[in-house]
Amino acid sequence: MPFVAVGPQTVHYQLTGPSGAPVLLAIHSLGASSHVFDRLAALLEPRLRVLRFDLPGHGLSSLPDAQSEPSIAALAHAAGALLDALSLPRVHALGVSIGGQIALQLAAATPERVERLVLCATASRIGSPRLWGERIDAVSKGGLATVADAVLERWTSADFRARRPADAAGLRALLMSTSPVGYVRACAALRAADLRAECARVAAPTLVLAGEHDAAVPVASARELSDSIRGARFEVVAGAGHLPVFDAPEVVAAHVLAFLAEATPAPETLAELFERGLEVRRAVLGSAHVARALAAATDLDREFQEHITRTAWGSVWARPGLDRRTRSLVTIALLIALGREDELALHLRASRNTGVTPQELAELLLHSSVYAGVPAANAAIRIAKAVLSD
């Protein structure tokens, strides 16, 4: 459970996904925590590094600073400070409900930080000052139990709660574990929030997602937000309530991945590709092997060593589309089929670093006998036995 100090706050965060992949900052909704993104993150992580964190007084993060004025701008500033603390100067951002307002404020105030923006189940104004005032009074006097039923009815549809009662119970536990102080402070920020002026300042390409049955932020309010941001796209997530990231993660993931795939990465220098390739090559093949290969290079193959480090390891192996374990298995299968025995031994040995198990290798060798032929598989088994017993 990683934590980081951000000003007076202790922030709980999770940063998962392949090294070198684009980073998506995900900001959760009121009364939830970073766990609300668990299913969505699992769908995104093969291609993205997902940074999730708990808002003040939510999840495992510390209570908000009692001396500060609650505002969306202050929460966005804290999100930017978290990016600084983790040395992440530029990210994609996704926010849900109050998280969407925070992401919008971050993109408007610091456009250099946000490459692409996904706003889910949010609006420039959510609810009314009267609604939030009543919510603050109720929670301050009686705790979250006084509003839990009403809140949970908005989070997901009745159909979802009937089909997946355990997930609905989990959401209730998530809400009830929130600090009343953190909840009330976030309500105060929502009560004061009016981000209509900030919408005009958003320069990042933006996607707005609305839950079809969202009673907290109706489709019309989300569409109004989309219309107020230049060039924004708008999509409705069928059947979803106020938390599409939880009750329709597959649909949200498809929208997010397609939208972020349009981002054009900045051109990398040959030196940057080489350094990234060197990191990946060492992780897969082992630092000792790479050191020997580079030390043994002469004028005959020095440029070749640099070339394969940049292209094979810095470009292809570093891509987020397949994890290293999968790339390792694919590489071994290709080398078996092509009869490249020296390289096969190298990658069989490297499979220990990529998470491939002996059982998976046995399945792969059997599978290759069907598609590459028994002689090729037999030779590969001989090499594998020698490598695995080394």
Side-chain angles (χ1 to χ4, degrees):
M1 294 186 294
F3 295 86
V4 66
V6 177
Q9 305 298 129
T10 300
V11 177
H12 170 249
Y13 72 95
Q14 301 175 68
L15 179 57
T16 52
S19 175
V23 176
L24 174 68
L25 170 68
I27 311 175
H28 67 78
S29 54
L30 172 68
S33 78
S34 54
H35 282 304
V36 82
F37 294 113
D38 282 352
R39 289 195 182 94
L40 179 63
L43 296 167
L44 298 177
E45 283 165 4
R47 301 189 191 179
L48 299 168
R49 293 184 81 195
V50 180
L51 170 60
R52 299 177 274 163
F53 71 99
D54 295 335
L55 293 173
H58 291 65
L60 298 178
S61 289
S62 65
L63 292 176
D65 179 13
Q67 305 304 315
S68 65
E69 197 67 29
S71 69
I72 298 299
L75 291 168
H77 179 78
L82 173 64
L83 296 179
D84 287 339
L86 299 178
S87 299
L88 297 171
R90 186 168 174 83
V91 298
H92 302 301
L94 180 156
V96 183
S97 193
I98 189 174
Q101 290 195 335
I102 296 168
L104 191 158
Q105 176 72 46
L106 182 69
T110 55
E112 70 281 1
R113 288 190 182 278
V114 179
E115 186 170 354
R116 287 192 165 229
L117 180 64
V118 181
L119 302 175
C120 185
T122 194
S124 55
R125 292 178 296 175
I126 300 176
S128 67
R130 178 179 177 181
L131 179 150
W132 295 118
E134 292 172 350
R135 184 80 62 86
I136 289 168
D137 289 341
V139 175
S140 298
K141 293 174 182 176
L144 283 162
T146 60
V147 302
D149 288 342
V151 168
L152 292 165
E153 284 182 4
R154 291 169 175 257
W155 277 9
T156 59
S157 67
D159 175 66
F160 178 87
R161 294 192 295 273
R163 285 187 294 105
R164 297 170 66 170
D167 286 333
L171 283 178
R172 178 178 290 273
L174 198 64
L175 174 63
M176 296 305 296
S177 67
T178 303
S179 159
V181 174
Y183 190 91
V184 164
R185 294 271 296 184
C187 287
L190 284 165
R191 179 173 59 181
D194 183 348
L195 303 184
R196 286 175 294 180
E198 278 70 17
C199 290
R201 296 165 54 198
V202 173
T206 302
L207 170 65
V208 177
L209 299 175
E212 181 185 13
H213 303 305
D214 188 350
V217 179
V219 170
S221 296
R223 188 182 294 276
E224 181 181 349
L225 172 67
S226 176
D227 290 342
S228 65
I229 298 174
R230 184 172 57 254
R233 302 181 199 175
F234 180 74
E235 299 286 348
V236 176
V237 181
H242 188 53
L243 295 180
V245 297
F246 186 86
D247 59 9
E250 295 84 1
V251 178
V252 173
H255 282 305
V256 170
L257 289 172
F259 180 62
L260 299 188
E262 299 172 8
T264 303
E268 293 179 286
T269 66
L270 293 179
E272 288 171 334
L273 281 172
F274 180 81
E275 287 303 317
R276 185 172 67 190
L278 200 57
E279 177 186 351
V280 176
R281 191 178 178 188
R282 286 168 174 160
V284 174
L285 300 181
S287 297
H289 170 83
V290 176
R292 286 194 300 270
L294 295 179
T298 67
D299 291 342
L300 186 65
D301 69 333
R302 187 169 291 106
E303 288 191 9
F304 171 76
Q305 289 292 331
E306 294 175 358
H307 169 72
I308 62 172
T309 301
R310 290 193 304 266
T311 55
W313 299 104
S315 295
V316 176
W317 271 85
R319 287 176 60 84
L322 295 175
D323 58 44
R324 287 181 187 170
R325 175 184 157 279
T326 304
R327 287 194 188 278
S328 182
L329 287 167
V330 169
T331 302
I332 291 168
L334 288 169
L335 293 171
I336 291 171
L338 294 170
R340 304 293 195 259
E341 295 190 357
D342 288 344
E343 286 285 313
L344 175 59
L346 174 66
H347 280 274
L348 283 168
R349 191 172 293 109
S351 68
R352 296 165 175 167
N353 300 326
T354 59
V356 175
T357 67
Q359 292 77 18
E360 288 171 327
L361 283 177
E363 287 294 330
L364 177 61
L365 290 165
L366 180 61
H367 196 79
S368 68
S369 70
V370 177
Y371 291 95
V374 171
N378 196 35
I381 289 170
R382 172 179 52 80
I383 296 169
K385 283 183 174 179
V387 167
L388 295 177
S389 65
D390 183 6

